[in-house]
Amino acid sequence: VKRFWDQVIEKIFIQENVRKIVEIGALRGENTVKILKYCSAYNAKLIIIEPFPQFDVEKLNEEFPGYFRLYEDISHHVLPNITGYDAVLIDGDHNWYTVYHELKMIEKKAKKRGKFPIVFLHDIGWPYGRRDMYHDPDLIPQKYRKPYTKKGIAPGHSELIDPLNYEKDIKCMNAHMNNALYDFGEKNGVLTAVEDFMKETKIPLSFYGVSKNHGLGILTSKKLDVDNKIKSIFKF
Ligand SMILES: C[S@@+](CC[C@H](N)C(=O)[O-])C[C@H]1O[C@@H](n2cnc3c(N)ncnc32)[C@H](O)[C@@H]1O
């Protein structure tokens, strides 16, 4: 998601006067630092949800004191306990069950508050838009978990590719991840989760998406002025 920061996310934050942000999935904190620079410039606050932070939390605290709170936990445990945020960046576990329920939890809080936040979703494009991946398969109820294995994904191939035994011309990626054995079909992938959520919600929402850099989606309240601003920023 960090690749979209300068051209899209920061511009929308400034435009919409975003003051409280939730980041789901921080990994090495590369995007986190960008968000925190925004927070210190605009007096905003960041909630980071990351079960396995791979950055120096103390150092970040020294650099940006008082600007963030880190929950070393998964999104489904934290989202029911936080509220009042203007924007959420979803870039955690890229599968239907996790993303669909993250959106449901955000919607529940939005109904109480009377305001739906701007939700940015990474990986709505290839390879995880239509294919589940599980950081920790045990966290996904069996009913929602697709058959998966640690093999690679190659463009144009629904089946996974064994990186040790592939035909020379097939380059595959993410062979170390738990990837669903096939793409498409019901309840499979991040974009499918967004579409299923959109079909059910009663809140009038707009959705914008681009497919480059594995895809970025933006879900926001349907309001003409906000829609027009996001549309103009999203043409990049
Ligand atoms: C793709 S990385 C995030 C990259 C980061 N947003 C960036 O732009 O640099 C995904 C991260 O999500 C975390 N993660 C996995 N499952 C999660 C969950 N259920 N809730 C929150 N974070 C999760 C992983 O530990 C991993 O660090």
Side-chain angles (χ1 to χ4, degrees), residues 1-2 24-27 31 49-51 74-75 91-94 135:
V1 78
K2 54 185 182 279
I24 299 175
L27 192 65
N31 198 51
I49 309 176
E50 169 55 65
I74 57 165
S75 56
D91 194 16
D93 206 7
H94 301 317
H135 274 273

Side-chain angles (χ1 to χ4, degrees), residues 1-5 9 24-25 31 88-95 99 102 119-129 189-191 194 207 210-218:
V1 78
K2 54 185 182 279
R3 295 191 210 125
F4 292 101
W5 174 258
I9 303 171
I24 299 175
N31 198 51
V88 187
L89 276 69
I90 298 184
D91 194 16
D93 206 7
H94 301 317
N95 57 71
V99 174
E102 283 168 345
V119 180
F120 298 84
L121 299 115
H122 194 219
D123 286 274
I124 61 153
W126 186 87
Y128 294 122
V190 173
L191 183 57
V194 180
F207 182 67
V210 287
S211 57
K212 71 182 205 178
N213 295 334
H214 307 307
L216 180 76
I218 305 181

